Amino acid sequence: MKIQHSVRYDAPVADVYAMLTDPAFREKATTAQVVTKLDVSVVAGSVTIDTVRPNTDVPAFAKAVAGESTHSVQAEQWTDGTTAAFSVKMPGKPGHISGTRRLISDGQATLDTFDGEAKVSIPLVGGKIEKLIADKLTSSWNIEHSVGTQWLEGDR
């Protein structure tokens, strides 16, 4: 399933990139998303966010596959201050998300965009689970955007 999403920050690209590669920001933004385990690592443009999230809002058909919680590892490999290879893997689960995250200058603002794909290799229900994980990713980015907007305004 294709995923496209974008949010707009009222800040220059360099400021948004600095925020997205700041471990303190990534911890704050991820903590706002209800996690029971969190480990953030940022090394030279390589961002890794390892989480465990409860599956309290997952439909019954998906909970049979997902379990009571989901372990996921989000990775961003920034090749410069504007483009990153992006992935989310769920160890032990038959699904993943991959794509490209870009920061695009929009005057004095920045568009933070994602273009990628969710894949789940389960016959019959794979498409439904792809939609579910795509929706969860979009929701997570909207929360990250809300925290990011405050962060860029100085609320750290």
Side-chain angles (χ1 to χ4, degrees), residues 35-55:
V35 295
T36 57
K37 177 189 171 240
L38 172 61
D39 183 41
V40 173
S41 170
V42 179
V43 178
S46 179
V47 177
T48 304
I49 304 170
D50 190 334
T51 63
V52 175
R53 301 169 193 258
N55 287 331

Side-chain angles (χ1 to χ4, degrees), residues 14 21 24 26 33 42 52 84 99-100 128 140:
T21 55
R26 296 316 279 265
Q33 300 173 41
V42 179
V52 175
T100 303
K128 289 181 182 180
S140 292

Side-chain angles (χ1 to χ4, degrees), residues 1-151:
M1 168 180 220
K2 296 286 184 191
I3 306 170
Q4 292 183 316
H5 188 68
S6 68
V7 294
R8 185 177 189 277
Y9 290 102
D10 289 327
V13 169
D15 292 356
V16 175
Y17 173 75
M19 175 184 73
L20 293 174
T21 55
D22 184 327
F25 167 73
R26 296 316 279 265
E27 286 180 19
K28 185 173 185 173
T30 306
T31 300
Q33 300 173 41
V34 186
V35 295
T36 57
K37 177 189 171 240
L38 172 61
D39 183 41
V40 173
S41 170
V42 179
V43 178
S46 179
V47 177
T48 304
I49 304 170
D50 190 334
T51 63
V52 175
R53 301 169 193 258
N55 287 331
T56 54
D57 61 344
V58 173
F61 77 89
K63 202 172 247 188
V65 174
E68 294 299 315
S69 62
T70 297
H71 174 213
S72 65
V73 180
Q74 176 178 316
E76 297 171 11
Q77 185 60 52
W78 291 90
T79 54
D80 58 25
T82 63
T83 306
F86 179 93
S87 69
V88 178
K89 296 179 181 172
M90 293 151 279
K93 307 292 183 199
H96 69 277
I97 297 171
S98 61
T100 303
R101 187 170 189 173
R102 286 186 179 84
L103 302 178
I104 301 166
S105 180
D106 183 25
Q108 296 295 328
T110 300
L111 293 176
D112 179 4
T113 68
F114 177 76
D115 187 19
E117 188 170 17
K119 295 286 272 177
V120 176
S121 302
I122 301 175
L124 303 177
V125 296
K128 289 181 182 180
I129 296 175
E130 287 173 358
K131 178 161 178 21
L132 178 69
I133 65 174
D135 289 347
K136 286 185 143 313
L137 178 65
T138 299
S139 175
S140 292
W141 271 337
N142 288 337
I143 293 168
E144 180 183 85
H145 176 255
S146 178
V147 173
T149 298
Q150 294 172 0
W151 182 275

